[in-house]
Amino acid sequence: MRTSTRFAGVLTALTLVLGGAGLAASGARADIPACTAMVEQAGVSVTDAVSAACYRGVVGDLGGCVTALTEAGVPGGSAGAACRAAPGEPR
């Protein structure tokens, strides 16, 4: 393989990796406030455990998010709704 072709391939791969990291980072702060607002609407105070649970929803761990919110005292239906709101677009 020619050096220029290999170099172009490495640059392309690097661009894709860094671009994916940027997308993941923007998704990581997706919408924790929407999740925590729904928790507050359910009458539960937002604690570090609630914020951590909402983060799990942001990164796509819906089951872990619901379980953690339920353990924090959020009723099941409200926990599910809050976790589904987490991966949405920031408001």
Side-chain angles (χ1 to χ4, degrees):
M1 182 182 286
R2 290 179 19 173
T3 304
S4 61
T5 304
R6 183 175 296 168
F7 184 71
V10 169
L11 284 179
T12 300
L14 184 61
T15 301
L16 291 173
V17 168
L18 293 177
L23 290 175
S26 67
R29 60 180 186 272
D31 213 356
I32 291 175
C35 177
T36 56
M38 293 186 87
V39 168
E40 287 178 324
Q41 288 175 359
V44 178
S45 297
V46 175
T47 62
D48 288 340
V50 168
S51 295
C54 287
Y55 176 78
R56 292 178 85 169
V58 165
V59 297
D61 182 8
L62 183 63
C65 176
V66 171
T67 299
L69 284 181
T70 303
E71 289 173 356
V74 180
S78 296
C83 290
R84 284 190 300 277
E89 292 296 318
R91 293 183 191 113

